[in-house]
Amino acid sequence: MIAPALARLLLRAALAVGAAFLLLAAFFAALPGHWYSLIHRQLGLGEFPDAPVAWYLARSASALYACHGLLVAGIALRPQRVPWMVALLGPGNMAFGASMIAIDISAGMPWWWTLGEGPGIAFFGAFLIMLNRLANEGRNAS
């Protein structure tokens, strides 16, 4: 078992790393259109659909991930100040990861995409739950 002080440090680090990954999505929100098409082809997904809804969904999903990254980065700075938010992030990520698995399967995404996205998000949520419990061990004892 790890000490609560170490768990708090690891929790902050995990939140910061998670925020950094999420903030990378800001780059994709502003990516030139021909880059989207090139990446789509390079991933073996065929031609990127040239339709307003496809461009809207690609860019808005990236912007939303980046916005979520800003929130997680703020929480990472001082998680002890917003314990209720930390407590929500774990189960929230687990539920989101499970929903992404279902979405990826129903959308017909490649197996490597499905295995890399949803389970990773869900695992991150479980990791946050574990670290948060260890970080708060002994604080609620009467």
Side-chain angles (χ1 to χ4, degrees):
M1 197 56 62
I2 63 174
L6 178 57
R8 285 190 288 278
L9 180 66
L10 291 173
L11 177 62
R12 287 185 70 197
L15 288 165
V17 169
F21 274 104
L22 289 163
L23 287 168
L24 289 174
F27 170 76
F28 290 95
L31 203 63
H34 66 279
W35 286 23
Y36 269 99
S37 299
L38 176 66
I39 292 168
H40 202 263
R41 274 194 308 279
Q42 293 295 321
L43 289 174
L45 300 173
E47 292 300 316
F48 188 81
D50 189 17
V53 71
W55 293 109
Y56 164 79
L57 289 172
R59 293 185 190 284
S60 64
S62 295
L64 185 59
Y65 270 101
C67 186
H68 180 59
L70 281 174
L71 179 64
V72 175
I75 295 167
L77 291 174
R78 297 196 55 201
Q80 71 278 9
R81 301 275 275 173
V82 285
W84 62 273
M85 289 183 86
V86 178
L88 285 175
L89 276 176
N93 273 276
M94 290 183 71
F96 182 56
S99 70
M100 291 311 297
I101 293 168
I103 290 168
D104 290 350
I105 290 170
S106 71
M109 294 303 289
W111 65 267
W112 51 266
W113 184 288
T114 303
L115 286 179
E117 185 177 35
I121 295 168
F123 174 79
F124 181 66
F127 190 58
L128 291 179
I129 290 169
M130 179 194 71
L131 287 175
N132 196 38
R133 283 190 181 146
L134 291 171
N136 292 309
E137 205 169 76
R139 285 190 177 178
N140 299 327
S142 300

PDB file of all heavy atoms in Angstrom, residues 8-9 29 32 34 36-37 39 45 48 51 53 56 67 70 72 85 97 102 106 113-114 116 123 125 128 136 142:
ATOM      1  N   ARG A   8      -1.346  11.366  -3.091  1.00  0.00           N
ATOM      2  CA  ARG A   8      -1.752  12.723  -3.484  1.00  0.00           C
ATOM      3  C   ARG A   8      -0.847  13.258  -4.593  1.00  0.00           C
ATOM      4  O   ARG A   8      -1.312  13.882  -5.552  1.00  0.00           O
ATOM      5  CB  ARG A   8      -1.753  13.658  -2.268  1.00  0.00           C
ATOM      6  CG  ARG A   8      -2.936  13.421  -1.342  1.00  0.00           C
ATOM      7  CD  ARG A   8      -3.070  14.508  -0.280  1.00  0.00           C
ATOM      8  NE  ARG A   8      -2.051  14.442   0.749  1.00  0.00           N
ATOM      9  CZ  ARG A   8      -2.121  13.622   1.808  1.00  0.00           C
ATOM     10  NH1 ARG A   8      -3.151  12.816   1.970  1.00  0.00           N
ATOM     11  NH2 ARG A   8      -1.147  13.628   2.702  1.00  0.00           N
ATOM     12  N   LEU A   9       0.447  12.998  -4.467  1.00  0.00           N
ATOM     13  CA  LEU A   9       1.398  13.424  -5.498  1.00  0.00           C
ATOM     14  C   LEU A   9       1.111  12.704  -6.821  1.00  0.00           C
ATOM     15  O   LEU A   9       1.093  13.327  -7.889  1.00  0.00           O
ATOM     16  CB  LEU A   9       2.831  13.152  -5.025  1.00  0.00           C
ATOM     17  CG  LEU A   9       3.945  13.538  -5.988  1.00  0.00           C
ATOM     18  CD1 LEU A   9       3.983  15.055  -6.166  1.00  0.00           C
ATOM     19  CD2 LEU A   9       5.274  13.029  -5.472  1.00  0.00           C
ATOM     20  N   ALA A  29      -8.389  20.796 -33.403  1.00  0.00           N
ATOM     21  CA  ALA A  29      -9.552  21.660 -33.639  1.00  0.00           C
ATOM     22  C   ALA A  29      -9.236  22.712 -34.699  1.00  0.00           C
ATOM     23  O   ALA A  29     -10.126  23.164 -35.411  1.00  0.00           O
ATOM     24  CB  ALA A  29     -10.000  22.320 -32.342  1.00  0.00           C
ATOM     25  N   PRO A  32      -5.644  22.324 -40.480  1.00  0.00           N
ATOM     26  CA  PRO A  32      -6.142  22.578 -41.841  1.00  0.00           C
ATOM     27  C   PRO A  32      -6.894  21.361 -42.380  1.00  0.00           C
ATOM     28  O   PRO A  32      -6.539  20.209 -42.078  1.00  0.00           O
ATOM     29  CB  PRO A  32      -4.863  22.824 -42.651  1.00  0.00           C
ATOM     30  CG  PRO A  32      -3.815  23.184 -41.649  1.00  0.00           C
ATOM     31  CD  PRO A  32      -4.194  22.454 -40.376  1.00  0.00           C
ATOM     32  N   HIS A  34      -7.053  19.839 -45.233  1.00  0.00           N
ATOM     33  CA  HIS A  34      -6.353  18.809 -46.006  1.00  0.00           C
ATOM     34  C   HIS A  34      -5.534  17.881 -45.105  1.00  0.00           C
ATOM     35  O   HIS A  34      -5.290  16.741 -45.455  1.00  0.00           O
ATOM     36  CB  HIS A  34      -5.494  19.438 -47.122  1.00  0.00           C
ATOM     37  CG  HIS A  34      -4.353  20.266 -46.643  1.00  0.00           C
ATOM     38  ND1 HIS A  34      -4.516  21.575 -46.237  1.00  0.00           N
ATOM     39  CD2 HIS A  34      -3.039  19.980 -46.507  1.00  0.00           C
ATOM     40  CE1 HIS A  34      -3.336  22.054 -45.865  1.00  0.00           C
ATOM     41  NE2 HIS A  34      -2.431  21.112 -46.009  1.00  0.00           N
ATOM     42  N   TYR A  36      -6.646  16.832 -42.139  1.00  0.00           N
ATOM     43  CA  TYR A  36      -7.656  15.862 -41.697  1.00  0.00           C
ATOM     44  C   TYR A  36      -7.775  14.745 -42.729  1.00  0.00           C
ATOM     45  O   TYR A  36      -7.787  13.563 -42.389  1.00  0.00           O
ATOM     46  CB  TYR A  36      -9.032  16.531 -41.537  1.00  0.00           C
ATOM     47  CG  TYR A  36      -9.327  17.078 -40.173  1.00  0.00           C
ATOM     48  CD1 TYR A  36      -9.161  18.415 -39.897  1.00  0.00           C
ATOM     49  CD2 TYR A  36      -9.801  16.253 -39.159  1.00  0.00           C
ATOM     50  CE1 TYR A  36      -9.449  18.936 -38.654  1.00  0.00           C
ATOM     51  CE2 TYR A  36     -10.101  16.761 -37.910  1.00  0.00           C
ATOM     52  CZ  TYR A  36      -9.918  18.106 -37.662  1.00  0.00           C
ATOM     53  OH  TYR A  36     -10.207  18.597 -36.421  1.00  0.00           O
ATOM     54  N   SER A  37      -7.896  15.143 -43.991  1.00  0.00           N
ATOM     55  CA  SER A  37      -8.060  14.166 -45.064  1.00  0.00           C
ATOM     56  C   SER A  37      -6.851  13.246 -45.157  1.00  0.00           C
ATOM     57  O   SER A  37      -7.000  12.029 -45.306  1.00  0.00           O
ATOM     58  CB  SER A  37      -8.290  14.884 -46.395  1.00  0.00           C
ATOM     59  OG  SER A  37      -9.467  15.658 -46.333  1.00  0.00           O
ATOM     60  N   ILE A  39      -4.573  12.507 -42.736  1.00  0.00           N
ATOM     61  CA  ILE A  39      -4.515  11.633 -41.551  1.00  0.00           C
ATOM     62  C   ILE A  39      -5.560  10.531 -41.659  1.00  0.00           C
ATOM     63  O   ILE A  39      -5.281   9.363 -41.353  1.00  0.00           O
ATOM     64  CB  ILE A  39      -4.690  12.462 -40.258  1.00  0.00           C
ATOM     65  CG1 ILE A  39      -3.480  13.375 -40.043  1.00  0.00           C
ATOM     66  CG2 ILE A  39      -4.911  11.550 -39.051  1.00  0.00           C
ATOM     67  CD1 ILE A  39      -3.677  14.433 -38.966  1.00  0.00           C
ATOM     68  N   LEU A  45      -8.682   4.735 -42.996  1.00  0.00           N
ATOM     69  CA  LEU A  45     -10.118   4.943 -42.823  1.00  0.00           C
ATOM     70  C   LEU A  45     -10.799   5.432 -44.098  1.00  0.00           C
ATOM     71  O   LEU A  45     -11.973   5.790 -44.067  1.00  0.00           O
ATOM     72  CB  LEU A  45     -10.365   5.930 -41.676  1.00  0.00           C
ATOM     73  CG  LEU A  45      -9.836   5.495 -40.309  1.00  0.00           C
ATOM     74  CD1 LEU A  45      -9.986   6.617 -39.295  1.00  0.00           C
ATOM     75  CD2 LEU A  45     -10.530   4.240 -39.831  1.00  0.00           C
ATOM     76  N   PHE A  48     -11.888  11.194 -46.025  1.00  0.00           N
ATOM     77  CA  PHE A  48     -12.654  11.946 -45.028  1.00  0.00           C
ATOM     78  C   PHE A  48     -13.850  12.565 -45.736  1.00  0.00           C
ATOM     79  O   PHE A  48     -13.695  13.182 -46.791  1.00  0.00           O
ATOM     80  CB  PHE A  48     -11.783  13.040 -44.388  1.00  0.00           C
ATOM     81  CG  PHE A  48     -12.440  13.718 -43.225  1.00  0.00           C
ATOM     82  CD1 PHE A  48     -12.429  13.133 -41.975  1.00  0.00           C
ATOM     83  CD2 PHE A  48     -13.081  14.934 -43.381  1.00  0.00           C
ATOM     84  CE1 PHE A  48     -13.038  13.741 -40.890  1.00  0.00           C
ATOM     85  CE2 PHE A  48     -13.691  15.568 -42.304  1.00  0.00           C
ATOM     86  CZ  PHE A  48     -13.667  14.965 -41.059  1.00  0.00           C
ATOM     87  N   ALA A  51     -18.275  16.965 -45.889  1.00  0.00           N
ATOM     88  CA  ALA A  51     -19.640  17.395 -45.580  1.00  0.00           C
ATOM     89  C   ALA A  51     -19.581  18.294 -44.339  1.00  0.00           C
ATOM     90  O   ALA A  51     -18.775  18.050 -43.434  1.00  0.00           O
ATOM     91  CB  ALA A  51     -20.522  16.184 -45.308  1.00  0.00           C
ATOM     92  N   VAL A  53     -21.323  18.538 -41.673  1.00  0.00           N
ATOM     93  CA  VAL A  53     -21.481  17.880 -40.372  1.00  0.00           C
ATOM     94  C   VAL A  53     -20.212  17.122 -39.978  1.00  0.00           C
ATOM     95  O   VAL A  53     -19.858  17.074 -38.803  1.00  0.00           O
ATOM     96  CB  VAL A  53     -22.737  16.964 -40.336  1.00  0.00           C
ATOM     97  CG1 VAL A  53     -22.545  15.711 -41.180  1.00  0.00           C
ATOM     98  CG2 VAL A  53     -23.109  16.620 -38.906  1.00  0.00           C
ATOM     99  N   TYR A  56     -17.784  19.784 -38.793  1.00  0.00           N
ATOM    100  CA  TYR A  56     -18.281  20.290 -37.511  1.00  0.00           C
ATOM    101  C   TYR A  56     -17.978  19.310 -36.381  1.00  0.00           C
ATOM    102  O   TYR A  56     -17.461  19.687 -35.328  1.00  0.00           O
ATOM    103  CB  TYR A  56     -19.789  20.566 -37.593  1.00  0.00           C
ATOM    104  CG  TYR A  56     -20.422  20.716 -36.240  1.00  0.00           C
ATOM    105  CD1 TYR A  56     -20.312  21.904 -35.527  1.00  0.00           C
ATOM    106  CD2 TYR A  56     -21.096  19.651 -35.644  1.00  0.00           C
ATOM    107  CE1 TYR A  56     -20.868  22.034 -34.272  1.00  0.00           C
ATOM    108  CE2 TYR A  56     -21.647  19.774 -34.386  1.00  0.00           C
ATOM    109  CZ  TYR A  56     -21.530  20.964 -33.700  1.00  0.00           C
ATOM    110  OH  TYR A  56     -22.060  21.082 -32.453  1.00  0.00           O
ATOM    111  N   CYS A  67     -11.247  21.588 -24.068  1.00  0.00           N
ATOM    112  CA  CYS A  67     -11.926  22.293 -22.978  1.00  0.00           C
ATOM    113  C   CYS A  67     -11.931  21.426 -21.713  1.00  0.00           C
ATOM    114  O   CYS A  67     -11.680  21.918 -20.610  1.00  0.00           O
ATOM    115  CB  CYS A  67     -13.346  22.641 -23.413  1.00  0.00           C
ATOM    116  SG  CYS A  67     -14.238  23.650 -22.226  1.00  0.00           S
ATOM    117  N   LEU A  70      -8.574  21.633 -20.100  1.00  0.00           N
ATOM    118  CA  LEU A  70      -8.384  22.823 -19.269  1.00  0.00           C
ATOM    119  C   LEU A  70      -8.963  22.622 -17.872  1.00  0.00           C
ATOM    120  O   LEU A  70      -8.356  22.993 -16.874  1.00  0.00           O
ATOM    121  CB  LEU A  70      -9.044  24.040 -19.920  1.00  0.00           C
ATOM    122  CG  LEU A  70      -8.282  24.703 -21.050  1.00  0.00           C
ATOM    123  CD1 LEU A  70      -9.130  25.806 -21.678  1.00  0.00           C
ATOM    124  CD2 LEU A  70      -6.964  25.263 -20.561  1.00  0.00           C
ATOM    125  N   VAL A  72      -9.471  19.709 -16.319  1.00  0.00           N
ATOM    126  CA  VAL A  72      -8.644  18.726 -15.601  1.00  0.00           C
ATOM    127  C   VAL A  72      -7.325  19.361 -15.156  1.00  0.00           C
ATOM    128  O   VAL A  72      -6.836  19.093 -14.055  1.00  0.00           O
ATOM    129  CB  VAL A  72      -8.423  17.460 -16.463  1.00  0.00           C
ATOM    130  CG1 VAL A  72      -7.462  16.494 -15.784  1.00  0.00           C
ATOM    131  CG2 VAL A  72      -9.756  16.767 -16.735  1.00  0.00           C
ATOM    132  N   MET A  85     -14.972  17.193  -7.293  1.00  0.00           N
ATOM    133  CA  MET A  85     -14.712  17.099  -8.730  1.00  0.00           C
ATOM    134  C   MET A  85     -13.795  15.920  -9.040  1.00  0.00           C
ATOM    135  O   MET A  85     -13.984  15.212 -10.031  1.00  0.00           O
ATOM    136  CB  MET A  85     -14.112  18.398  -9.258  1.00  0.00           C
ATOM    137  CG  MET A  85     -15.108  19.533  -9.281  1.00  0.00           C
ATOM    138  SD  MET A  85     -14.411  21.034  -9.979  1.00  0.00           S
ATOM    139  CE  MET A  85     -14.720  20.724 -11.711  1.00  0.00           C
ATOM    140  N   GLY A  97     -15.526   6.033 -21.025  1.00  0.00           N
ATOM    141  CA  GLY A  97     -14.745   4.997 -21.718  1.00  0.00           C
ATOM    142  C   GLY A  97     -15.625   3.871 -22.220  1.00  0.00           C
ATOM    143  O   GLY A  97     -15.487   3.412 -23.361  1.00  0.00           O
ATOM    144  N   ALA A 102     -18.678   1.381 -27.014  1.00  0.00           N
ATOM    145  CA  ALA A 102     -19.935   1.107 -27.719  1.00  0.00           C
ATOM    146  C   ALA A 102     -20.051   1.951 -28.989  1.00  0.00           C
ATOM    147  O   ALA A 102     -20.462   1.451 -30.046  1.00  0.00           O
ATOM    148  CB  ALA A 102     -21.124   1.364 -26.793  1.00  0.00           C
ATOM    149  N   SER A 106     -20.186   0.483 -32.790  1.00  0.00           N
ATOM    150  CA  SER A 106     -21.353   0.758 -33.643  1.00  0.00           C
ATOM    151  C   SER A 106     -20.970   1.568 -34.880  1.00  0.00           C
ATOM    152  O   SER A 106     -21.620   1.457 -35.916  1.00  0.00           O
ATOM    153  CB  SER A 106     -22.460   1.462 -32.854  1.00  0.00           C
ATOM    154  OG  SER A 106     -22.087   2.783 -32.556  1.00  0.00           O
ATOM    155  N   TRP A 113      -8.361   0.943 -32.884  1.00  0.00           N
ATOM    156  CA  TRP A 113      -8.893   2.228 -32.411  1.00  0.00           C
ATOM    157  C   TRP A 113      -9.756   1.992 -31.172  1.00  0.00           C
ATOM    158  O   TRP A 113      -9.619   2.668 -30.159  1.00  0.00           O
ATOM    159  CB  TRP A 113      -9.716   2.872 -33.533  1.00  0.00           C
ATOM    160  CG  TRP A 113     -10.234   4.250 -33.215  1.00  0.00           C
ATOM    161  CD1 TRP A 113     -11.235   4.574 -32.330  1.00  0.00           C
ATOM    162  CD2 TRP A 113      -9.776   5.471 -33.765  1.00  0.00           C
ATOM    163  NE1 TRP A 113     -11.437   5.933 -32.325  1.00  0.00           N
ATOM    164  CE2 TRP A 113     -10.549   6.499 -33.200  1.00  0.00           C
ATOM    165  CE3 TRP A 113      -8.803   5.799 -34.704  1.00  0.00           C
ATOM    166  CZ2 TRP A 113     -10.372   7.838 -33.528  1.00  0.00           C
ATOM    167  CZ3 TRP A 113      -8.638   7.134 -35.030  1.00  0.00           C
ATOM    168  CH2 TRP A 113      -9.414   8.127 -34.448  1.00  0.00           C
ATOM    169  N   THR A 114     -10.651   0.998 -31.299  1.00  0.00           N
ATOM    170  CA  THR A 114     -11.575   0.685 -30.207  1.00  0.00           C
ATOM    171  C   THR A 114     -10.814   0.264 -28.955  1.00  0.00           C
ATOM    172  O   THR A 114     -11.136   0.715 -27.846  1.00  0.00           O
ATOM    173  CB  THR A 114     -12.549  -0.424 -30.647  1.00  0.00           C
ATOM    174  OG1 THR A 114     -13.231   0.028 -31.826  1.00  0.00           O
ATOM    175  CG2 THR A 114     -13.560  -0.748 -29.566  1.00  0.00           C
ATOM    176  N   GLY A 116      -7.755   1.056 -28.169  1.00  0.00           N
ATOM    177  CA  GLY A 116      -6.901   2.127 -27.679  1.00  0.00           C
ATOM    178  C   GLY A 116      -7.653   3.269 -27.028  1.00  0.00           C
ATOM    179  O   GLY A 116      -7.114   3.966 -26.170  1.00  0.00           O
ATOM    180  N   PHE A 123      -9.747   2.960 -17.952  1.00  0.00           N
ATOM    181  CA  PHE A 123      -8.647   2.639 -17.038  1.00  0.00           C
ATOM    182  C   PHE A 123      -8.181   3.891 -16.298  1.00  0.00           C
ATOM    183  O   PHE A 123      -7.921   3.850 -15.100  1.00  0.00           O
ATOM    184  CB  PHE A 123      -7.473   2.002 -17.799  1.00  0.00           C
ATOM    185  CG  PHE A 123      -6.264   1.783 -16.930  1.00  0.00           C
ATOM    186  CD1 PHE A 123      -6.204   0.705 -16.065  1.00  0.00           C
ATOM    187  CD2 PHE A 123      -5.202   2.674 -16.957  1.00  0.00           C
ATOM    188  CE1 PHE A 123      -5.090   0.513 -15.239  1.00  0.00           C
ATOM    189  CE2 PHE A 123      -4.091   2.502 -16.146  1.00  0.00           C
ATOM    190  CZ  PHE A 123      -4.039   1.414 -15.287  1.00  0.00           C
ATOM    191  N   GLY A 125      -9.966   6.431 -15.522  1.00  0.00           N
ATOM    192  CA  GLY A 125     -10.967   6.691 -14.489  1.00  0.00           C
ATOM    193  C   GLY A 125     -10.784   5.806 -13.271  1.00  0.00           C
ATOM    194  O   GLY A 125     -10.847   6.274 -12.131  1.00  0.00           O
ATOM    195  N   LEU A 128      -7.813   6.981 -11.292  1.00  0.00           N
ATOM    196  CA  LEU A 128      -8.128   8.164 -10.487  1.00  0.00           C
ATOM    197  C   LEU A 128      -8.908   7.795  -9.232  1.00  0.00           C
ATOM    198  O   LEU A 128      -8.643   8.336  -8.154  1.00  0.00           O
ATOM    199  CB  LEU A 128      -8.926   9.180 -11.308  1.00  0.00           C
ATOM    200  CG  LEU A 128      -8.193   9.893 -12.435  1.00  0.00           C
ATOM    201  CD1 LEU A 128      -9.141  10.842 -13.160  1.00  0.00           C
ATOM    202  CD2 LEU A 128      -6.961  10.623 -11.930  1.00  0.00           C
ATOM    203  N   ASN A 136      -6.915  10.053   0.230  1.00  0.00           N
ATOM    204  CA  ASN A 136      -7.786  10.523   1.314  1.00  0.00           C
ATOM    205  C   ASN A 136      -7.889   9.528   2.460  1.00  0.00           C
ATOM    206  O   ASN A 136      -8.689   9.719   3.378  1.00  0.00           O
ATOM    207  CB  ASN A 136      -9.181  10.823   0.746  1.00  0.00           C
ATOM    208  CG  ASN A 136      -9.137  12.013  -0.165  1.00  0.00           C
ATOM    209  OD1 ASN A 136      -8.617  13.056   0.199  1.00  0.00           O
ATOM    210  ND2 ASN A 136      -9.667  11.858  -1.363  1.00  0.00           N
ATOM    211  N   SER A 142     -13.054   8.856  12.121  1.00  0.00           N
ATOM    212  CA  SER A 142     -13.596   9.590  13.282  1.00  0.00           C
ATOM    213  C   SER A 142     -12.919   9.160  14.536  1.00  0.00           C
ATOM    214  O   SER A 142     -12.596   8.089  14.792  1.00  0.00           O
ATOM    215  CB  SER A 142     -15.090   9.319  13.404  1.00  0.00           C
ATOM    216  OG  SER A 142     -15.751   9.752  12.237  1.00  0.00           O
TER     217      SER A 142
END
